[in-house]
Amino acid sequence: MFSVSSDTALVVLDVQKAIDDPKWASKNNPGYVDKIVDLLAGFRAASLPVIHIRHDEPNPASTYHTDGPGNAIKPEVAPLADEPVIAKNVNCAFIATDLEKYLRDHGITRLIFTGVVIHNSMDASIRVAHCLGFDVILPLDATTAIDVTDAKGIRHDAQTVFDLFAAVLGSEYCALSTTDDVIAALPA
């Protein structure tokens, strides 16, 4: 078991309206947003830091395009006025952003990552966070995957993709957990 203290931040990654586009319809973990809402409530009640990462995609064909309707953060996980929103334009939240500086300046050493999708931005950001020396925890019920078609044209269902990426991340880059365990570890 782990504890959560003032050096821990919740990172909400790419939970934007874009993820509701039919292109993303094959998601596993259909209740993942509800789990993120629970984590937000817990961190806010404990007065712990929450950081939102918004993907500002320069490609106009993307559902996350900066000027498109999918760019907005989903209302149910919207940031409060005092919660920073860090914009990124690649899959990793640390590349060409102030995220690492913000974390170091605020004495944050542990990150609870949540958001979308485990095999893209979550994977890239968690691996880099680990390499930068942060302690990372991933509540598996607060993220998701979608179906992926490989180079041979074989389609892998979202749950298989999710399970594989969770196994790889958990083997080296982060501790795997659940939302309930994270909430139970929050200070009273």
Side-chain angles (χ1 to χ4, degrees):
M1 192 60 178
F2 56 90
S3 63
V4 176
S5 58
S6 61
D7 67 342
T8 305
L10 178 66
V11 179
V12 182
L13 185 66
D14 297 353
V15 186
Q16 295 161 248
K17 290 182 178 182
I19 199 66
D20 294 331
D21 187 276
K23 166 185 176 175
W24 303 92
S26 65
K27 291 184 289 291
N28 73 322
N29 272 357
Y32 78 98
V33 173
D34 294 333
K35 296 297 185 177
I36 296 170
V37 170
D38 293 345
L39 287 165
L40 283 167
F43 269 73
R44 289 167 175 165
S47 298
L48 292 173
V50 174
I51 302 161
H52 299 264
I53 308 296
R54 185 187 67 236
H55 188 85
D56 287 348
E57 174 59 48
N59 179 353
S62 171
T63 59
Y64 280 92
H65 184 254
T66 303
D67 296 325
N71 186 259
I73 293 174
K74 289 175 68 69
E76 54 268 55
V77 300
L80 300 180
D82 63 341
E83 294 172 351
V85 177
I86 296 174
K88 66 179 183 68
N89 58 22
V90 295
N91 58 359
C92 181
F94 290 94
I95 303 300
T97 72
D98 291 331
L99 178 57
E100 182 183 7
K101 181 179 182 339
Y102 180 89
L103 298 171
R104 305 268 188 226
D105 288 351
H106 290 84
I108 297 168
T109 61
R110 174 176 282 160
L111 306 174
I112 310 293
F113 264 96
T114 183
V116 297
V117 289
I118 194 171
H119 56 285
N120 193 317
S121 294
M122 295 286 289
D123 176 69
S125 300
I126 288 169
R127 287 174 185 248
V128 171
H130 169 79
C131 291
L132 291 172
F134 293 99
D135 180 31
V136 181
I137 297 169
L138 173 60
L140 289 174
D141 54 352
T143 187
T144 188
I146 62 168
D147 293 354
V148 173
T149 302
D150 68 22
K152 296 178 183 176
I154 300 169
R155 189 170 187 85
H156 303 277
D157 67 276
Q159 191 62 53
T160 300
V161 172
F162 184 89
D163 292 343
L164 179 60
F165 273 80
V168 171
L169 288 170
S171 71
E172 184 174 353
Y173 302 100
C174 67
L176 304 178
S177 186
T178 66
T179 294
D180 288 345
D181 286 344
V182 172
I183 290 172
L186 291 171

PDB file of all heavy atoms in Angstrom, residues 128-151:
ATOM      1  N   VAL A 128       8.106   8.862 -19.472  1.00  0.00           N
ATOM      2  CA  VAL A 128       8.999  10.002 -19.280  1.00  0.00           C
ATOM      3  C   VAL A 128       8.999  10.439 -17.815  1.00  0.00           C
ATOM      4  O   VAL A 128      10.058  10.738 -17.252  1.00  0.00           O
ATOM      5  CB  VAL A 128       8.625  11.171 -20.229  1.00  0.00           C
ATOM      6  CG1 VAL A 128       9.403  12.432 -19.876  1.00  0.00           C
ATOM      7  CG2 VAL A 128       8.897  10.761 -21.674  1.00  0.00           C
ATOM      8  N   ALA A 129       7.842  10.461 -17.175  1.00  0.00           N
ATOM      9  CA  ALA A 129       7.781  10.815 -15.748  1.00  0.00           C
ATOM     10  C   ALA A 129       8.697   9.891 -14.938  1.00  0.00           C
ATOM     11  O   ALA A 129       9.461  10.344 -14.079  1.00  0.00           O
ATOM     12  CB  ALA A 129       6.346  10.730 -15.243  1.00  0.00           C
ATOM     13  N   HIS A 130       8.613   8.604 -15.219  1.00  0.00           N
ATOM     14  CA  HIS A 130       9.474   7.631 -14.534  1.00  0.00           C
ATOM     15  C   HIS A 130      10.954   7.946 -14.799  1.00  0.00           C
ATOM     16  O   HIS A 130      11.773   7.961 -13.871  1.00  0.00           O
ATOM     17  CB  HIS A 130       9.129   6.212 -14.994  1.00  0.00           C
ATOM     18  CG  HIS A 130      10.115   5.191 -14.546  1.00  0.00           C
ATOM     19  ND1 HIS A 130      10.129   4.682 -13.261  1.00  0.00           N
ATOM     20  CD2 HIS A 130      11.140   4.598 -15.206  1.00  0.00           C
ATOM     21  CE1 HIS A 130      11.132   3.820 -13.156  1.00  0.00           C
ATOM     22  NE2 HIS A 130      11.748   3.750 -14.314  1.00  0.00           N
ATOM     23  N   CYS A 131      11.297   8.194 -16.050  1.00  0.00           N
ATOM     24  CA  CYS A 131      12.692   8.480 -16.406  1.00  0.00           C
ATOM     25  C   CYS A 131      13.201   9.772 -15.764  1.00  0.00           C
ATOM     26  O   CYS A 131      14.402   9.904 -15.510  1.00  0.00           O
ATOM     27  CB  CYS A 131      12.854   8.541 -17.925  1.00  0.00           C
ATOM     28  SG  CYS A 131      12.650   6.931 -18.717  1.00  0.00           S
ATOM     29  N   LEU A 132      12.305  10.696 -15.482  1.00  0.00           N
ATOM     30  CA  LEU A 132      12.676  11.954 -14.816  1.00  0.00           C
ATOM     31  C   LEU A 132      12.751  11.799 -13.298  1.00  0.00           C
ATOM     32  O   LEU A 132      13.072  12.759 -12.598  1.00  0.00           O
ATOM     33  CB  LEU A 132      11.675  13.057 -15.179  1.00  0.00           C
ATOM     34  CG  LEU A 132      11.706  13.531 -16.632  1.00  0.00           C
ATOM     35  CD1 LEU A 132      10.542  14.468 -16.915  1.00  0.00           C
ATOM     36  CD2 LEU A 132      13.039  14.216 -16.944  1.00  0.00           C
ATOM     37  N   GLY A 133      12.429  10.613 -12.798  1.00  0.00           N
ATOM     38  CA  GLY A 133      12.569  10.356 -11.379  1.00  0.00           C
ATOM     39  C   GLY A 133      11.311  10.509 -10.547  1.00  0.00           C
ATOM     40  O   GLY A 133      11.365  10.422  -9.314  1.00  0.00           O
ATOM     41  N   PHE A 134      10.179  10.711 -11.180  1.00  0.00           N
ATOM     42  CA  PHE A 134       8.923  10.811 -10.435  1.00  0.00           C
ATOM     43  C   PHE A 134       8.414   9.411 -10.095  1.00  0.00           C
ATOM     44  O   PHE A 134       8.598   8.465 -10.857  1.00  0.00           O
ATOM     45  CB  PHE A 134       7.871  11.571 -11.245  1.00  0.00           C
ATOM     46  CG  PHE A 134       8.208  13.021 -11.442  1.00  0.00           C
ATOM     47  CD1 PHE A 134       8.782  13.450 -12.632  1.00  0.00           C
ATOM     48  CD2 PHE A 134       7.963  13.948 -10.444  1.00  0.00           C
ATOM     49  CE1 PHE A 134       9.116  14.788 -12.822  1.00  0.00           C
ATOM     50  CE2 PHE A 134       8.294  15.282 -10.623  1.00  0.00           C
ATOM     51  CZ  PHE A 134       8.869  15.709 -11.814  1.00  0.00           C
ATOM     52  N   ASP A 135       7.775   9.306  -8.939  1.00  0.00           N
ATOM     53  CA  ASP A 135       7.089   8.084  -8.535  1.00  0.00           C
ATOM     54  C   ASP A 135       5.699   8.167  -9.163  1.00  0.00           C
ATOM     55  O   ASP A 135       4.978   9.143  -8.946  1.00  0.00           O
ATOM     56  CB  ASP A 135       7.010   8.047  -7.007  1.00  0.00           C
ATOM     57  CG  ASP A 135       6.317   6.811  -6.492  1.00  0.00           C
ATOM     58  OD1 ASP A 135       6.398   5.754  -7.132  1.00  0.00           O
ATOM     59  OD2 ASP A 135       5.687   6.905  -5.415  1.00  0.00           O
ATOM     60  N   VAL A 136       5.315   7.176  -9.940  1.00  0.00           N
ATOM     61  CA  VAL A 136       4.068   7.239 -10.704  1.00  0.00           C
ATOM     62  C   VAL A 136       3.134   6.106 -10.292  1.00  0.00           C
ATOM     63  O   VAL A 136       3.558   4.956 -10.164  1.00  0.00           O
ATOM     64  CB  VAL A 136       4.333   7.163 -12.228  1.00  0.00           C
ATOM     65  CG1 VAL A 136       3.030   7.247 -13.006  1.00  0.00           C
ATOM     66  CG2 VAL A 136       5.287   8.274 -12.666  1.00  0.00           C
ATOM     67  N   ILE A 137       1.872   6.463 -10.109  1.00  0.00           N
ATOM     68  CA  ILE A 137       0.825   5.490  -9.813  1.00  0.00           C
ATOM     69  C   ILE A 137      -0.261   5.642 -10.870  1.00  0.00           C
ATOM     70  O   ILE A 137      -0.665   6.769 -11.193  1.00  0.00           O
ATOM     71  CB  ILE A 137       0.252   5.704  -8.401  1.00  0.00           C
ATOM     72  CG1 ILE A 137       1.365   5.486  -7.362  1.00  0.00           C
ATOM     73  CG2 ILE A 137      -0.935   4.774  -8.146  1.00  0.00           C
ATOM     74  CD1 ILE A 137       1.010   5.905  -5.968  1.00  0.00           C
ATOM     75  N   LEU A 138      -0.727   4.521 -11.391  1.00  0.00           N
ATOM     76  CA  LEU A 138      -1.763   4.518 -12.418  1.00  0.00           C
ATOM     77  C   LEU A 138      -2.974   3.735 -11.921  1.00  0.00           C
ATOM     78  O   LEU A 138      -2.930   2.501 -11.849  1.00  0.00           O
ATOM     79  CB  LEU A 138      -1.237   3.900 -13.712  1.00  0.00           C
ATOM     80  CG  LEU A 138      -2.236   3.682 -14.836  1.00  0.00           C
ATOM     81  CD1 LEU A 138      -2.870   5.002 -15.278  1.00  0.00           C
ATOM     82  CD2 LEU A 138      -1.561   2.983 -16.018  1.00  0.00           C
ATOM     83  N   PRO A 139      -4.073   4.434 -11.562  1.00  0.00           N
ATOM     84  CA  PRO A 139      -5.302   3.715 -11.241  1.00  0.00           C
ATOM     85  C   PRO A 139      -5.946   3.221 -12.544  1.00  0.00           C
ATOM     86  O   PRO A 139      -6.421   4.011 -13.360  1.00  0.00           O
ATOM     87  CB  PRO A 139      -6.167   4.758 -10.527  1.00  0.00           C
ATOM     88  CG  PRO A 139      -5.571   6.082 -10.867  1.00  0.00           C
ATOM     89  CD  PRO A 139      -4.184   5.862 -11.349  1.00  0.00           C
ATOM     90  N   LEU A 140      -5.922   1.923 -12.740  1.00  0.00           N
ATOM     91  CA  LEU A 140      -6.322   1.343 -14.024  1.00  0.00           C
ATOM     92  C   LEU A 140      -7.777   1.598 -14.397  1.00  0.00           C
ATOM     93  O   LEU A 140      -8.110   1.653 -15.583  1.00  0.00           O
ATOM     94  CB  LEU A 140      -6.040  -0.158 -14.033  1.00  0.00           C
ATOM     95  CG  LEU A 140      -4.565  -0.529 -14.103  1.00  0.00           C
ATOM     96  CD1 LEU A 140      -4.393  -2.034 -13.951  1.00  0.00           C
ATOM     97  CD2 LEU A 140      -3.946  -0.040 -15.406  1.00  0.00           C
ATOM     98  N   ASP A 141      -8.644   1.758 -13.415  1.00  0.00           N
ATOM     99  CA  ASP A 141     -10.052   1.991 -13.733  1.00  0.00           C
ATOM    100  C   ASP A 141     -10.340   3.435 -14.126  1.00  0.00           C
ATOM    101  O   ASP A 141     -11.452   3.761 -14.512  1.00  0.00           O
ATOM    102  CB  ASP A 141     -10.956   1.551 -12.578  1.00  0.00           C
ATOM    103  CG  ASP A 141     -10.586   2.170 -11.238  1.00  0.00           C
ATOM    104  OD1 ASP A 141      -9.534   2.848 -11.133  1.00  0.00           O
ATOM    105  OD2 ASP A 141     -11.349   1.958 -10.276  1.00  0.00           O
ATOM    106  N   ALA A 142      -9.302   4.288 -14.086  1.00  0.00           N
ATOM    107  CA  ALA A 142      -9.467   5.701 -14.428  1.00  0.00           C
ATOM    108  C   ALA A 142      -8.743   6.056 -15.726  1.00  0.00           C
ATOM    109  O   ALA A 142      -8.323   7.187 -15.937  1.00  0.00           O
ATOM    110  CB  ALA A 142      -8.977   6.576 -13.276  1.00  0.00           C
ATOM    111  N   THR A 143      -8.600   5.062 -16.585  1.00  0.00           N
ATOM    112  CA  THR A 143      -8.052   5.272 -17.920  1.00  0.00           C
ATOM    113  C   THR A 143      -8.721   4.270 -18.857  1.00  0.00           C
ATOM    114  O   THR A 143      -9.535   3.457 -18.437  1.00  0.00           O
ATOM    115  CB  THR A 143      -6.512   5.164 -17.943  1.00  0.00           C
ATOM    116  OG1 THR A 143      -6.041   5.549 -19.242  1.00  0.00           O
ATOM    117  CG2 THR A 143      -6.039   3.763 -17.614  1.00  0.00           C
ATOM    118  N   THR A 144      -8.373   4.332 -20.118  1.00  0.00           N
ATOM    119  CA  THR A 144      -9.045   3.511 -21.121  1.00  0.00           C
ATOM    120  C   THR A 144      -8.119   3.266 -22.308  1.00  0.00           C
ATOM    121  O   THR A 144      -7.036   3.846 -22.398  1.00  0.00           O
ATOM    122  CB  THR A 144     -10.357   4.206 -21.576  1.00  0.00           C
ATOM    123  OG1 THR A 144     -11.103   3.315 -22.403  1.00  0.00           O
ATOM    124  CG2 THR A 144     -10.103   5.495 -22.310  1.00  0.00           C
ATOM    125  N   ALA A 145      -8.564   2.407 -23.196  1.00  0.00           N
ATOM    126  CA  ALA A 145      -7.884   2.131 -24.465  1.00  0.00           C
ATOM    127  C   ALA A 145      -8.951   2.028 -25.545  1.00  0.00           C
ATOM    128  O   ALA A 145     -10.141   1.974 -25.243  1.00  0.00           O
ATOM    129  CB  ALA A 145      -7.094   0.820 -24.384  1.00  0.00           C
ATOM    130  N   ILE A 146      -8.508   2.012 -26.780  1.00  0.00           N
ATOM    131  CA  ILE A 146      -9.412   1.750 -27.905  1.00  0.00           C
ATOM    132  C   ILE A 146      -8.811   0.624 -28.741  1.00  0.00           C
ATOM    133  O   ILE A 146      -7.650   0.260 -28.574  1.00  0.00           O
ATOM    134  CB  ILE A 146      -9.657   2.996 -28.785  1.00  0.00           C
ATOM    135  CG1 ILE A 146      -8.350   3.477 -29.430  1.00  0.00           C
ATOM    136  CG2 ILE A 146     -10.339   4.102 -27.988  1.00  0.00           C
ATOM    137  CD1 ILE A 146      -8.525   4.500 -30.526  1.00  0.00           C
ATOM    138  N   ASP A 147      -9.613   0.082 -29.640  1.00  0.00           N
ATOM    139  CA  ASP A 147      -9.115  -0.938 -30.554  1.00  0.00           C
ATOM    140  C   ASP A 147      -7.945  -0.369 -31.359  1.00  0.00           C
ATOM    141  O   ASP A 147      -7.923   0.824 -31.695  1.00  0.00           O
ATOM    142  CB  ASP A 147     -10.201  -1.362 -31.545  1.00  0.00           C
ATOM    143  CG  ASP A 147     -11.369  -2.093 -30.892  1.00  0.00           C
ATOM    144  OD1 ASP A 147     -11.311  -2.384 -29.683  1.00  0.00           O
ATOM    145  OD2 ASP A 147     -12.346  -2.365 -31.608  1.00  0.00           O
ATOM    146  N   VAL A 148      -6.993  -1.226 -31.681  1.00  0.00           N
ATOM    147  CA  VAL A 148      -5.826  -0.839 -32.467  1.00  0.00           C
ATOM    148  C   VAL A 148      -5.635  -1.857 -33.576  1.00  0.00           C
ATOM    149  O   VAL A 148      -5.678  -3.065 -33.331  1.00  0.00           O
ATOM    150  CB  VAL A 148      -4.554  -0.768 -31.584  1.00  0.00           C
ATOM    151  CG1 VAL A 148      -3.318  -0.526 -32.434  1.00  0.00           C
ATOM    152  CG2 VAL A 148      -4.685   0.295 -30.513  1.00  0.00           C
ATOM    153  N   THR A 149      -5.400  -1.375 -34.789  1.00  0.00           N
ATOM    154  CA  THR A 149      -5.082  -2.239 -35.926  1.00  0.00           C
ATOM    155  C   THR A 149      -3.583  -2.166 -36.172  1.00  0.00           C
ATOM    156  O   THR A 149      -3.020  -1.073 -36.315  1.00  0.00           O
ATOM    157  CB  THR A 149      -5.864  -1.803 -37.185  1.00  0.00           C
ATOM    158  OG1 THR A 149      -7.259  -1.847 -36.880  1.00  0.00           O
ATOM    159  CG2 THR A 149      -5.561  -2.713 -38.357  1.00  0.00           C
ATOM    160  N   ASP A 150      -2.948  -3.336 -36.215  1.00  0.00           N
ATOM    161  CA  ASP A 150      -1.497  -3.362 -36.376  1.00  0.00           C
ATOM    162  C   ASP A 150      -1.088  -3.271 -37.847  1.00  0.00           C
ATOM    163  O   ASP A 150      -1.938  -3.184 -38.747  1.00  0.00           O
ATOM    164  CB  ASP A 150      -0.889  -4.574 -35.674  1.00  0.00           C
ATOM    165  CG  ASP A 150      -1.237  -5.911 -36.312  1.00  0.00           C
ATOM    166  OD1 ASP A 150      -1.591  -5.962 -37.510  1.00  0.00           O
ATOM    167  OD2 ASP A 150      -1.127  -6.937 -35.604  1.00  0.00           O
ATOM    168  N   ALA A 151       0.208  -3.306 -38.093  1.00  0.00           N
ATOM    169  CA  ALA A 151       0.752  -3.148 -39.445  1.00  0.00           C
ATOM    170  C   ALA A 151       0.346  -4.278 -40.384  1.00  0.00           C
ATOM    171  O   ALA A 151       0.374  -4.117 -41.604  1.00  0.00           O
ATOM    172  CB  ALA A 151       2.272  -3.053 -39.379  1.00  0.00           C
TER     173      ALA A 151
END
